[in-house]
Amino acid sequence: MNMKEYSTQTKAVETETTVTLTVNGEPRQLRIPPNVVLLDALRDRLGLTGTKKGCDHGQCGACTVHIDGQAINSCLTLAVMCEGREVTTIEGLASDAGLHPVQQAFLENDAYQCGFCTPGQMMSASAMLEDERIGTDDAAVREAMSGNICRCGAYKNILAAIQTARGQMPTARKEGEVS
Amino acid sequence: MRSFAFSAAENVDQAIIACESNNAEASYIAGGTTLIDLVKLDVMRPERVIDLNRLPLKEVERLDDGRLRIGALVSNTDLAHHPLVTEHYPLLSQALLAGASTQLRNMATTAGNIMQRTRCPYFRDVAAACNKRDPGSGCDALGGINRMHALLGTSEHCIATHPSDMCVAMAALGATLTLEGPNGIREIAFGDFHRLPMDRPDLEHELEPNELITHITLDTPVVGGGSHYLKLRDRASYEFALASAAVVVAVEDGVIRDARLALGGVATKPWQAMEAEQALTGQPAKTESFEKAAEIALADALPREHNAFKVPLARQAILRALEKATQAAMNS
Amino acid sequence: MDTQVIGHRTPRVDGEFKLTGQADYTVDWQVRDMLYGYPVSASIAHGTLKTLHLDTARAMPGVVDIFHHGHFPELYRASKNQVSEMRLPFEDERIHYDGQYIALVVAESFEQARAAAHTVQADYHQEEGARTSLLDTNQEGQLLESEGVSRGDPEKAFDEAPVTIDHTYDIAAESHMQMEMHATLAEWRDERLIVHESSQGVVYQHKAMARIFGLPEESVEVVSHYIGSGFGNKLFMWPHAVATAGAAQMLGRPVKTILPRQQDMESGGNRPASRQRLRLGAKQDGTLLSIRHDSTTETSFVHPYVDSLGSATPSLYACDNVAISQRLLEVNHGTPCPMRAPGETSGIHALETALDELAVELGMDPLELRRRNYAKNDPASGLPWSSKYLDDCYTNAAKRFGWEKRNPTPGAMRDGDEVIGWGMATACWPAMRLSCSARVELRDDGSVMAACGTQDIGTGTYTIVAQTVAELSGVPLKDIEVRLGESTLPAGPLSGGSMVTATALPAVAAALRNAFDALKEVATGENGAFEGCDPDNLEIEAGALVDKQGKRVSFGEILSQQKLGSVSGDGQAAPGDEKSQYSFRSFGAHFVEVRWDPGISRLRVARVVSSIDIGRAINPSAARNQVEGSIVMGIGMALTEKLDYDPRDGRLINNNYADYIVPCHADMPEIDVELPDNPDYTLNEFGARGVGEIGLTGIAAAIGNAVYHATGKRIREFPITLEKVMDT
């Protein structure tokens, strides 16, 4: 295999644009070139480093945030596409009243080790618990959570934490409840 | 990720004009799950990216003729859970939910799924020879590690697998794509949309450079059909298929009245096994008929060094999916 | 020891930081004027770099500089044991593996650095004969005399044995796949080098950096507060750290480099592929007469890493005739390094698989075979074990699993479409302890700070240090601050070898006791709360000093009264002569159920029951989590994990999280882990032996043995991907 020759001329100009979005309830403005993904914008430009980069290709789930309430991979989302959207990151999960039930359940169930995939796990879990289209039994939770890799392998405790949190969330359906 | 210019289109016309009026290499973006991935790897190098997300293509509606029209921008998640899909096309729902992860399905769109690129590692590696990425450079997969590669529809220029699950269900169900471009609107059968690699693996589909998919219309559901999508892979979730089978069968008095069969993970495009479908029709809904169909479906399989196991694996997927679909048909 | 905090499960003291996104991992650090580094990797495995084409990249927006051979500081090499790769970045133009750095682009933003790196073109002189994997060659490698062990006459015993087994076991190279990729932030301040590194050994990196940059040790500081795990590949630093620090030095600005996942997998360490020949000789009753274990592992051409595969074998079973040998073969891919339970994970895998084969040959229950050869003392040293309850582990786990219901005939146990397979294996890992220092500060606000230059890689070190302080001081956990992960703190151990617990806690305890002495001196001194009192008559109770009359004054009050902000104690702790009296190892047993659906070639691990004796678990929930996580990692090792190097050119083709398959949520079986509480006070005063690694040993073998039981097929090349077992 040989390194292929490619044109190295770059025609497009890197121009910055302004993006206005809501992050954790606060309106924020970003001045960024188009090739910045939401993950890097949050981390490098807004100082919200709780969202993690584990693969940068949508293959691990560490970068999971909510856009308009849905869990997405922020590493594959251009920040310029978030104009007018509501983004929630791990920094916005807890409220003045304290930890989110998912955070509290992760704490109590020791649902993490190194903690690096954990923000993504919790963002997926919190969105899933509010999504009535996803089943409530263990198998459905495992399947729905499979986009979040935990290399430490804390899956057992993560599952236990999610099912514990389900009971603490007024808006979540109970385990075994059919949608 | 190299730099590019960006604009967001408000409607289909704007999207087409934005693409057409610029002689730079342009790419549409919807979910972004393929494009951004590949731009980061330097495999795709758009100079201009046009955001389609504001286009009003997010509806799922039942047409008067009983077909189901799906807007190009309906997310994989929304489509999988849409009541009209779960009721009339459970196969599609099953296939969608077998693909990717919750997050990716939330982002990925119906048309984007159709446009997704292969996972061939040599395609994804700019230092490797790949006729799809760099026409005429050769194919490093042929003599390389090709465990994940295709058996059907391959050529000596490309053996890359089409990665979609959703498309396999669509190939079985039958669908029509609505395309819109500077010359107006046209329709194309789903089965004619993806091209075989032949000697131009870089030409993956029939879409013109400044055309876009606006709708996907599923054929009317098979009356009294049972269906099953079976995906076989190394781990239990969040992985591309080694082999998958999408089956719809309608059974009357123990005889197959109508059969649909498509394969994933083993072909260079979503693979409708038409001859096998014909062979099943009118036969008893029994193992012997299923085995015959599997044999026909895989008769042209051309294994390479590491993927020979996919022939029996695809056979197993076909047999089990036919069994399950038949049971579903009997129970319906 | 009757304990209040130690041995009791408690939420992690760093939990809220991790759960709210506040924990400062290396990748999260940003400093003023910081630049971003992005490495460019070689795309050949063997040859020389002829020309680098950098003009396009240099002209791109934001690009500050590009470092490469000929444009990089002249540095010194560190020693073999200080770094993961001795070769310095850009040292010469030789290319030893695909993925080796040939340049580092530095730019104002991450996007600019990456975009420019993609435009860099290289011309190479590619040479023939790249050796792409141990498993793709017949070459034997170099025999390492230092790794050899022999007792008795294993050859003769084998030849005379009535029953023998002679098989070869291959294991593919694996990737650590730690979630946080290797990352360095290097900053030079007044000739001082400050490095933030995702590191399992800040003190070691500190020394290595000082040596490489020719600096006095006090001029280097390495920080690693939170680590997105490592599993061994962050024990010793890699060339990206040197490249980043060198770039920062030349530019006079801080530089942060986070390896992309692809480069992390290519050049940031791996568990080397291995080939092992096991020869066992036994009597008809199962008594082992001979064990010969001959291994070969890979290393790179730039660093001689030895994964010691045979090190557990002489100690695991009673057998008079044992021989171990190891060879090392250099290959053209990234340098391997320790990966969780290094050496023994692979070695025990082969031994435990061979034993299962022997059990089949003998028609004996595999558990019974292991009991038959139970080693009451360490057969390698002849010393008694410090504490060994492996027989209890066998009994308890077998009972919880339901092993007695096992039908020994392969394929005989079915459930619908699925065939059930049950297998077991022994787990084992040495219990190590090194010397360590620590410091504890008692503060006037009643809080306590404990500091040690070790790290918490997710195992729970912050928490167990706090528990130790809480246990001995009676101060509640919420008032205890633990500082780890800074090389300027008293020197602590690598987070590796499962030795931090046994090593660091005694040092923390010693420092705390010295702090107590300092506090008593203050309390009994002039105007002190216990002025004139004999310090020996003061007891520590719930964060206070108490005298014989029952007078009690809290730590904070004692200090406030004397207008002191704090008192501190430095402590050292080191192993004594216990190693001359005992052998130290932890033991355990895994029992596994696999489900095999031959109709669709689907193989899944359904259930794992393990009993792992680690002495005292300081925090049982965190300890159990370690074993459960090891089991998950072992499932990957057994069924899916394999670095695919293209045999034509050594290029890693599955260099990402989608193509290198690790277990996901849906793969998780039912897991039942028992940690019998048998404190081992001969190793340290807390009775703890460490838990990070033992759970991974034996698990892949137990799975393979279960697969044999389900399918009747003995797979000797791991991982067991489905094509190896399917019916065709």
Side-chain angles (χ1 to χ4, degrees), chain C residues 579-631:
Chain C
K579 272 202 158 180
S580 63
Q581 299 165 39
Y582 299 103
S583 272
F584 293 91
R585 274 185 174 271
S586 286
F587 295 91
H590 296 294
F591 291 79
V592 168
E593 174 177 314
V594 299
R595 297 257 168 167
W596 167 241
D597 185 339
I600 52 172
S601 301
R602 189 169 63 199
L603 179 62
R604 299 282 183 256
V605 176
R607 195 159 63 93
V608 179
V609 177
S610 304
S611 178
I612 308 285
D613 178 18
I614 57 162
R616 165 66 50 89
I618 304 298
N619 185 341
S621 53
R624 184 172 290 107
N625 202 337
Q626 284 298 306
V627 177
E628 290 164 356
S630 298
I631 289 167

Side-chain angles (χ1 to χ4, degrees), chain A residues 154-165:
Chain A
Y155 294 131
K156 180 179 174 177
N157 292 356
I158 294 171
L159 176 67
I162 290 171
Q163 298 294 36
T164 304

Side-chain angles (χ1 to χ4, degrees), chain A residues 1 52 110 113-114 156, chain C residues 12 18 25 28 649 671:
Chain A
M1 290 190 291
K52 301 301 190 220
D110 203 44
Q113 291 178 21
C114 80
K156 180 179 174 177
Chain C
R12 290 172 194 245
K18 288 180 173 176
Y25 297 85
D28 300 337
D649 56 13
I671 298 177

Side-chain angles (χ1 to χ4, degrees), chain C residues 373-602:
Chain C
N373 293 287
Y374 198 80
K376 289 203 172 64
N377 294 317
D378 182 354
S381 64
L383 294 172
W385 296 109
S386 62
S387 166
K388 180 176 179 180
Y389 293 90
L390 175 59
D391 41 3
D392 289 352
C393 295
Y394 287 144
T395 304
N396 297 350
K399 188 165 175 229
R400 288 160 89 124
F401 185 84
W403 184 256
E404 78 282 357
K405 293 193 280 286
R406 181 177 185 263
N407 180 333
T409 308
M413 295 166 64
R414 302 187 78 98
D415 178 14
D417 287 332
E418 293 178 332
V419 186
I420 294 168
W422 286 2
M424 60 81 59
T426 304
C428 182
W429 183 250
M432 290 178 271
R433 180 181 170 187
L434 301 178
S435 62
C436 180
S437 302
R439 182 179 308 129
V440 171
E441 206 172 84
L442 307 175
R443 293 164 169 165
D444 64 348
D445 62 357
S447 69
V448 183
M449 190 278 290
C452 178
T454 185
Q455 308 70 217
D456 186 337
I457 57 170
T459 46
T461 310
Y462 279 113
T463 306
I464 60 170
V465 168
Q467 285 180 273
T468 303
V469 171
E471 182 70 47
L472 300 179
S473 69
V475 171
L477 286 169
K478 68 172 176 51
D479 293 330
I480 297 165
E481 180 198 348
V482 180
R483 289 179 59 191
L484 308 173
E486 293 176 17
S487 65
T488 49
L489 300 175
L494 289 166
S495 294
S498 301
M499 65 188 172
V500 169
T501 305
T503 297
L505 299 193
V508 169
L512 181 60
R513 290 182 181 119
N514 287 337
F516 289 155
D517 287 346
L519 183 75
K520 288 177 183 174
E521 201 179 311
V522 167
T524 55
E526 200 182 341
N527 298 323
F530 296 94
E531 186 175 352
C533 179
D534 181 352
D536 291 344
N537 288 333
L538 294 173
E539 298 289 325
I540 306 293
E541 206 181 283
L545 293 184
V546 183
D547 68 10
K548 298 278 186 200
Q549 288 70 46
K551 177 186 174 188
R552 106 190 232 112
V553 185
S554 74
F555 299 168
E557 281 175 73
I558 290 165
L559 293 168
S560 305
Q561 200 175 323
Q562 296 291 65
K563 301 217 179 322
L564 281 172
S566 65
V567 288
S568 65
D570 286 307
Q572 277 82 38
D577 65 347
E578 64 269 15
K579 272 202 158 180
S580 63
Q581 299 165 39
Y582 299 103
S583 272
F584 293 91
R585 274 185 174 271
S586 286
F587 295 91
H590 296 294
F591 291 79
V592 168
E593 174 177 314
V594 299
R595 297 257 168 167
W596 167 241
D597 185 339
I600 52 172
S601 301
R602 189 169 63 199

Side-chain angles (χ1 to χ4, degrees), chain A residues 6 10 32 81 95 151 179:
Chain A
Y6 280 103
T10 309
I32 44 163
M81 290 165 69
S95 66
R151 182 55 161 166
S179 56

Side-chain angles (χ1 to χ4, degrees), chain B:
Chain B
M1 185 150 63
R2 303 196 188 194
S3 60
F4 48 78
F6 177 87
S7 60
E10 298 292 337
N11 54 51
V12 174
D13 286 344
Q14 262 189 24
I16 293 164
I17 292 163
C19 197
E20 197 186 21
S21 64
N22 200 303
N23 49 20
E25 185 84 13
S27 284
Y28 290 126
I29 188 167
T33 56
T34 291
L35 182 71
I36 302 304
D37 174 35
L38 291 175
V39 175
K40 283 182 179 180
L41 292 173
D42 211 30
V43 169
M44 290 177 77
R45 296 172 186 176
E47 290 167 1
R48 186 176 183 82
V49 171
I50 300 149
D51 183 6
L52 301 178
N53 282 292
R54 297 179 196 177
L55 270 47
L57 301 172
K58 294 178 183 168
E59 300 298 317
V60 177
E61 54 189 330
R62 198 157 194 202
L63 302 180
D64 291 343
D65 60 8
R67 296 187 301 154
L68 192 74
R69 196 168 85 135
I70 302 159
L73 291 172
V74 176
S75 77
N76 286 183
T77 299
D78 287 346
L79 188 60
H81 294 296
H82 197 283
L84 289 171
V85 174
T86 52
E87 186 183 346
H88 301 293
Y89 304 95
L91 179 75
L92 179 60
S93 183
Q94 233 186 335
L96 279 160
L97 294 174
S101 65
T102 304
Q103 297 95 308
L104 290 166
R105 292 192 295 268
N106 287 342
M107 301 167 75
T109 64
T110 311
N113 193 316
I114 292 169
M115 296 296 290
Q116 74 179 294
R117 312 290 303 272
T118 182
R119 299 291 311 180
C120 172
Y122 299 98
F123 169 73
R124 293 169 63 82
D125 173 3
V126 292
C130 173
N131 291 320
K132 188 183 276 298
R133 173 171 36 76
D134 187 14
S137 63
C139 173
D140 271 339
L142 281 172
I145 296 177
N146 46 36
R147 179 174 185 264
M148 298 299 291
H149 288 76
L151 307 167
L152 295 164
T154 61
S155 73
E156 286 309 303
H157 304 278
C158 183
I159 56 171
T161 308
H162 193 276
S164 172
D165 292 295
M166 182 198 80
C167 288
V168 182
M170 285 187 176
L173 295 168
T176 305
L177 304 186
T178 307
L179 314 179
E180 198 166 336
N183 301 321
I185 297 171
R186 65 184 179 120
E187 293 198 326
I188 184 168
F190 183 83
D192 296 333
F193 181 76
H194 294 103
R195 290 193 189 189
L196 291 173
M198 298 185 285
D199 58 353
R200 287 299 302 275
D202 55 312
L203 304 176
E204 297 179 344
H205 49 72
E206 295 295 331
L207 206 60
E208 297 293 332
N210 43 11
E211 261 185 327
L212 56 92
I213 302 170
T214 60
H215 297 89
I216 298 91
T217 308
L218 300 180
D219 292 355
T220 51
V222 173
V223 178
S227 70
H228 193 75
Y229 185 74
L230 179 62
K231 180 176 184 178
L232 304 180
R233 47 186 161 182
D234 290 308
R235 73 177 170 197
S237 184
Y238 198 16
E239 194 193 0
F240 294 92
L242 289 165
S244 73
V247 167
V248 188
V249 286
V251 182
E252 263 170 33
D253 304 326
V255 174
I256 299 168
R257 170 170 52 74
D258 194 353
R260 309 287 180 82
L261 171 62
L263 303 177
V266 292
T268 53
K269 60 177 272 188
W271 196 260
Q272 188 187 1
M274 274 178 288
E275 289 173 16
E277 289 174 345
Q278 285 158 16
L280 283 164
T281 309
Q283 297 301 307
K286 282 187 182 160
T287 308
E288 298 75 47
S289 313
F290 302 161
E291 282 174 348
K292 184 103 191 290
E295 196 180 311
I296 292 168
L298 295 164
D300 294 331
L302 180 59
R304 310 281 163 173
E305 187 180 353
H306 305 108
N307 68 356
F309 75 99
K310 281 186 166 189
V311 180
L313 192 70
R315 181 176 177 278
Q316 292 180 329
I318 294 168
L319 297 183
R320 183 68 63 87
L322 278 165
E323 279 169 27
K324 296 268 184 194
T326 302
Q327 281 165 17
M330 305 280 210
N331 295 336
S332 66

